[in-house]
Amino acid sequence: MAPEINLPGPVSLIDNTKGQLVVNPEALKILSAITQPVVVVAIVGLYRTGKSYLMNKLAGKKNGFSLGSTVRSHTKGIWMWCVPHPKKPEHTLVLLDTEGLGDIEKGDNENDSWIFALAVLLSSTFVYNSMGTINQQAMDQLHYVTELTHRIRSKSSPDENENEDSADFVSFFPDFVWTLRDFSLDLEADGQPITADEYLTYSLKLKQGTSEKDKNFNLPRLCIRKFFPKKKCFVFDHPVHCKKLAQLEKLHDEELDPEFVQQVADFCSYIFSNSKTKTLSGGIKVNGPRLESLVLTYIDAISSGDLPCMENAILALAQIENSVAVQKAIAHYDQQMGQKVQLPTETLQELLDMHRVSEREATEVFMKNSFKDVDHLFQKKLAVQLVKKRDDFCKQNQEASSDRCSALLQDIFSPLEEEVKMGIYSKPGGYRLFIQKLQDLKKKYHEEPRKGIQADEILQTYLKSKESVTDAILQTDKILTKKEKEIEVEHAKAESAQASAKMVEEMQIKYQQMMEEKEKSYQEHVKQLTEKIERERAQLLEEQERTLTSKLQEQARLLKERCQGESTQLQNEIQKLQKTLEKKTKRYMSHKLKI
């Protein structure tokens, strides 16, 4: 279970200092500690429209985000409040309260446009807060939405001859919620009661026409409809008498208009139940560190004069996370090998088998924690590091075996060496006594456990170093005839040659085992990579299908409205003709009566 982050109050995420947007390191530190998936709700709107009040309610607090009671904007930049999600276990709710748009003291809309764009990019639910009704003035104030395509790119290098399609934006844009404060109209159309959602749909209808005035009327409506397929609307009555608005955060619910209290409760319930986990292209769920990376990438782009690009942000995030994924995989490998391996191993195959299991698990750890590994560069880096780890273990195993065998030889054969120095075997019959003792000690050496892969080689090297001693004892033995001595020499040579042949055979076996291990390792990497590619392809196809569906649905809506508009226009023409016909009929009948 991931630890919950519950901040006692909001902190500045992005400061707006002298017209420059700067990230607050303290806020990034908080995000980096959030391992849970995040649901990000951002609110944007003109200053002094009560945005902060709604965000405090979502945080379950009466105060927190600053509520201004003057004509000056209180919130500067973007403020963040992280609280446990009230309805989604193991999720963190990240609330972003933004600087009021249109503050007269700024006199420059540039930062307003960037704050609007950042709120869209960072959130999974985007709340636009405004006063009164949705009229042309409200639409004009929402001109920031028409600038989004000039502030955001979905691809790092779109075709020079092709503008980015709105469907590209739809794939990563948040859900849209319009909150209308101090709403005083009756919700009805053509004399029939309607819902707030139907009111929003009605307000977003396009005009049939091609004049400049019609284009200006349609542009913000068209952008909202295209960029935000999922839309919701809430209306709020006046909370309290205007003289008490300055104390709004201090008032209890009983002191507020009951209708307003219920409307706020409905709004919060909808956000808690319907706001989705922040998700990137490819179905990548965003947690705190990923949100931190997005913030840094977007602010760096804006600061350098570039446009924030979703594709670049994901690639930058992938670079960070894939590096971490390699580290996690290596750490898992080290842990597993540390627990399993006791050097020296009796055989090389024993070590290689443990390596293969740990390597497979490490690769699975990487696959689980990585994404968008372009050209599989990070998996290749992992493979190189694992090969080095294997080779290091083989070297350590060889050294451990050599050390163990050398120590054994010293312990077992040192008494014999002392006896040779004392001349015990420099007498008639001494050679055969020496050889018998040598055979007994070799048997004792072979019976010792866990000598490892260097056991025979170290023994043969030792015996070879003592050949001159053996030959000296042989030559000084007076009992043996010259012929017998020659036979013993030949026997010793044959035994040495046999041991050397055995060592060569063992080296060939080790080489073959290493080659087989490399092939198995390669096949395992290919298998795991193929499985991941198939999963990613399925996710991509699913995402493309969703994007295409959204695009087709939008086109269908536009076509339907166009047909409805043409149908309405045709009906109007028919009605005009009917009225003209009625008038002419009356005139004719009147004329006929006179005649």
Short mmCIF file of all heavy atoms in Angstrom, two decimals, residues 118-142:
data_model
loop_
_atom_site.label_atom_id
_atom_site.label_comp_id
_atom_site.label_asym_id
_atom_site.label_seq_id
_atom_site.Cartn_x
_atom_site.Cartn_y
_atom_site.Cartn_z
N LEU A 118 -1.51 25.53 -19.33
CA LEU A 118 -0.92 24.61 -18.36
C LEU A 118 -1.99 23.86 -17.57
O LEU A 118 -1.85 22.67 -17.29
CB LEU A 118 -0.01 25.39 -17.38
CG LEU A 118 1.35 25.81 -17.93
CD1 LEU A 118 2.03 26.80 -16.99
CD2 LEU A 118 2.25 24.59 -18.15
N ALA A 119 -3.07 24.57 -17.22
CA ALA A 119 -4.17 23.92 -16.50
C ALA A 119 -4.77 22.80 -17.34
O ALA A 119 -5.11 21.73 -16.83
CB ALA A 119 -5.23 24.95 -16.12
N VAL A 120 -4.90 23.04 -18.65
CA VAL A 120 -5.42 22.02 -19.56
C VAL A 120 -4.46 20.83 -19.63
O VAL A 120 -4.86 19.67 -19.55
CB VAL A 120 -5.66 22.61 -20.96
CG1 VAL A 120 -5.95 21.50 -21.98
CG2 VAL A 120 -6.83 23.59 -20.94
N LEU A 121 -3.17 21.12 -19.76
CA LEU A 121 -2.17 20.07 -19.94
C LEU A 121 -1.99 19.20 -18.70
O LEU A 121 -1.75 17.99 -18.81
CB LEU A 121 -0.82 20.69 -20.31
CG LEU A 121 -0.68 21.21 -21.74
CD1 LEU A 121 0.58 22.05 -21.86
CD2 LEU A 121 -0.65 20.06 -22.73
N LEU A 122 -2.11 19.79 -17.52
CA LEU A 122 -1.80 19.07 -16.29
C LEU A 122 -3.00 18.34 -15.70
O LEU A 122 -2.82 17.41 -14.90
CB LEU A 122 -1.23 20.04 -15.24
CG LEU A 122 0.10 20.70 -15.59
CD1 LEU A 122 0.46 21.73 -14.52
CD2 LEU A 122 1.19 19.67 -15.73
N SER A 123 -4.20 18.72 -16.08
CA SER A 123 -5.38 18.20 -15.39
C SER A 123 -6.02 17.02 -16.10
O SER A 123 -5.81 16.79 -17.29
CB SER A 123 -6.43 19.31 -15.23
OG SER A 123 -6.90 19.74 -16.50
N SER A 124 -6.80 16.25 -15.33
CA SER A 124 -7.67 15.23 -15.91
C SER A 124 -9.10 15.73 -15.95
O SER A 124 -9.92 15.23 -16.73
CB SER A 124 -7.57 13.93 -15.12
OG SER A 124 -7.73 14.14 -13.73
N THR A 125 -9.43 16.73 -15.11
CA THR A 125 -10.70 17.44 -15.19
C THR A 125 -10.41 18.94 -15.14
O THR A 125 -9.74 19.42 -14.22
CB THR A 125 -11.64 17.05 -14.03
OG1 THR A 125 -11.99 15.68 -14.15
CG2 THR A 125 -12.91 17.88 -14.07
N PHE A 126 -10.91 19.67 -16.13
CA PHE A 126 -10.66 21.10 -16.27
C PHE A 126 -11.96 21.84 -15.97
O PHE A 126 -12.96 21.66 -16.68
CB PHE A 126 -10.17 21.40 -17.70
CG PHE A 126 -9.93 22.85 -17.98
CD1 PHE A 126 -8.74 23.46 -17.63
CD2 PHE A 126 -10.90 23.62 -18.62
CE1 PHE A 126 -8.51 24.80 -17.91
CE2 PHE A 126 -10.68 24.96 -18.91
CZ PHE A 126 -9.48 25.55 -18.55
N VAL A 127 -11.94 22.65 -14.91
CA VAL A 127 -13.14 23.39 -14.51
C VAL A 127 -12.97 24.84 -14.93
O VAL A 127 -12.00 25.51 -14.55
CB VAL A 127 -13.36 23.31 -12.99
CG1 VAL A 127 -14.63 24.07 -12.60
CG2 VAL A 127 -13.44 21.86 -12.53
N TYR A 128 -13.94 25.34 -15.74
CA TYR A 128 -13.94 26.76 -16.11
C TYR A 128 -15.05 27.44 -15.31
O TYR A 128 -16.21 27.06 -15.41
CB TYR A 128 -14.15 26.96 -17.60
CG TYR A 128 -14.14 28.43 -17.99
CD1 TYR A 128 -12.95 29.15 -17.96
CD2 TYR A 128 -15.31 29.10 -18.34
CE1 TYR A 128 -12.92 30.49 -18.29
CE2 TYR A 128 -15.29 30.44 -18.67
CZ TYR A 128 -14.09 31.14 -18.64
OH TYR A 128 -14.08 32.48 -18.94
N ASN A 129 -14.66 28.41 -14.52
CA ASN A 129 -15.58 29.09 -13.60
C ASN A 129 -15.88 30.50 -14.10
O ASN A 129 -14.96 31.26 -14.40
CB ASN A 129 -14.93 29.15 -12.21
CG ASN A 129 -15.90 29.59 -11.14
OD1 ASN A 129 -16.80 28.85 -10.76
ND2 ASN A 129 -15.72 30.81 -10.64
N SER A 130 -17.15 30.83 -14.22
CA SER A 130 -17.52 32.17 -14.67
C SER A 130 -18.78 32.64 -13.95
O SER A 130 -19.47 31.85 -13.29
CB SER A 130 -17.73 32.20 -16.19
OG SER A 130 -18.88 31.45 -16.54
N MET A 131 -19.07 33.92 -14.08
CA MET A 131 -20.23 34.52 -13.42
C MET A 131 -21.39 34.65 -14.39
O MET A 131 -21.21 34.97 -15.57
CB MET A 131 -19.87 35.91 -12.87
CG MET A 131 -18.71 35.90 -11.89
SD MET A 131 -19.10 35.07 -10.34
CE MET A 131 -20.21 36.25 -9.60
N GLY A 132 -22.61 34.40 -13.87
CA GLY A 132 -23.80 34.65 -14.67
C GLY A 132 -24.07 33.56 -15.69
O GLY A 132 -23.84 32.38 -15.45
N THR A 133 -24.55 34.01 -16.84
CA THR A 133 -25.00 33.08 -17.86
C THR A 133 -23.95 32.86 -18.94
O THR A 133 -22.91 33.53 -18.95
CB THR A 133 -26.28 33.62 -18.52
OG1 THR A 133 -25.96 34.88 -19.15
CG2 THR A 133 -27.38 33.83 -17.50
N ILE A 134 -24.23 31.90 -19.83
CA ILE A 134 -23.36 31.71 -21.00
C ILE A 134 -23.91 32.57 -22.13
O ILE A 134 -24.83 32.18 -22.85
CB ILE A 134 -23.32 30.23 -21.43
CG1 ILE A 134 -22.85 29.34 -20.27
CG2 ILE A 134 -22.38 30.06 -22.62
CD1 ILE A 134 -22.83 27.87 -20.61
N ASN A 135 -23.37 33.76 -22.26
CA ASN A 135 -23.74 34.64 -23.35
C ASN A 135 -22.50 34.94 -24.18
O ASN A 135 -21.43 34.37 -23.95
CB ASN A 135 -24.38 35.93 -22.81
CG ASN A 135 -23.50 36.60 -21.75
OD1 ASN A 135 -22.29 36.40 -21.75
ND2 ASN A 135 -24.11 37.36 -20.86
N GLN A 136 -22.64 35.84 -25.13
CA GLN A 136 -21.51 36.11 -26.01
C GLN A 136 -20.34 36.72 -25.25
O GLN A 136 -19.18 36.45 -25.55
CB GLN A 136 -21.92 37.04 -27.16
CG GLN A 136 -20.88 37.15 -28.27
CD GLN A 136 -20.46 35.78 -28.82
OE1 GLN A 136 -21.28 34.88 -28.98
NE2 GLN A 136 -19.17 35.62 -29.09
N GLN A 137 -20.64 37.51 -24.22
CA GLN A 137 -19.56 38.08 -23.40
C GLN A 137 -18.78 36.97 -22.70
O GLN A 137 -17.54 37.01 -22.65
CB GLN A 137 -20.14 39.04 -22.36
CG GLN A 137 -19.05 39.70 -21.50
CD GLN A 137 -19.62 40.59 -20.41
OE1 GLN A 137 -20.84 40.72 -20.29
NE2 GLN A 137 -18.76 41.20 -19.62
N ALA A 138 -19.51 35.98 -22.17
CA ALA A 138 -18.85 34.85 -21.51
C ALA A 138 -17.98 34.09 -22.50
O ALA A 138 -16.87 33.65 -22.17
CB ALA A 138 -19.89 33.92 -20.90
N MET A 139 -18.49 33.94 -23.72
CA MET A 139 -17.71 33.25 -24.76
C MET A 139 -16.47 34.07 -25.14
O MET A 139 -15.39 33.52 -25.36
CB MET A 139 -18.59 33.01 -25.98
CG MET A 139 -19.55 31.85 -25.81
SD MET A 139 -18.64 30.30 -25.71
CE MET A 139 -19.98 29.16 -25.37
N ASP A 140 -16.64 35.36 -25.24
CA ASP A 140 -15.50 36.22 -25.58
C ASP A 140 -14.43 36.14 -24.51
O ASP A 140 -13.23 36.19 -24.81
CB ASP A 140 -15.97 37.66 -25.76
CG ASP A 140 -16.83 37.85 -27.00
OD1 ASP A 140 -16.77 36.98 -27.89
OD2 ASP A 140 -17.58 38.85 -27.06
N GLN A 141 -14.86 36.05 -23.25
CA GLN A 141 -13.89 35.94 -22.15
C GLN A 141 -13.18 34.60 -22.16
O GLN A 141 -12.11 34.45 -21.57
CB GLN A 141 -14.61 36.15 -20.81
CG GLN A 141 -15.08 37.59 -20.60
CD GLN A 141 -16.01 37.74 -19.41
OE1 GLN A 141 -16.55 36.75 -18.91
NE2 GLN A 141 -16.19 38.97 -18.95
N LEU A 142 -13.76 33.63 -22.84
CA LEU A 142 -13.16 32.30 -22.95
C LEU A 142 -12.33 32.18 -24.23
O LEU A 142 -12.16 31.11 -24.79
CB LEU A 142 -14.26 31.23 -22.91
CG LEU A 142 -13.88 29.75 -22.74
CD1 LEU A 142 -12.94 29.55 -21.56
CD2 LEU A 142 -15.11 28.91 -22.58
#
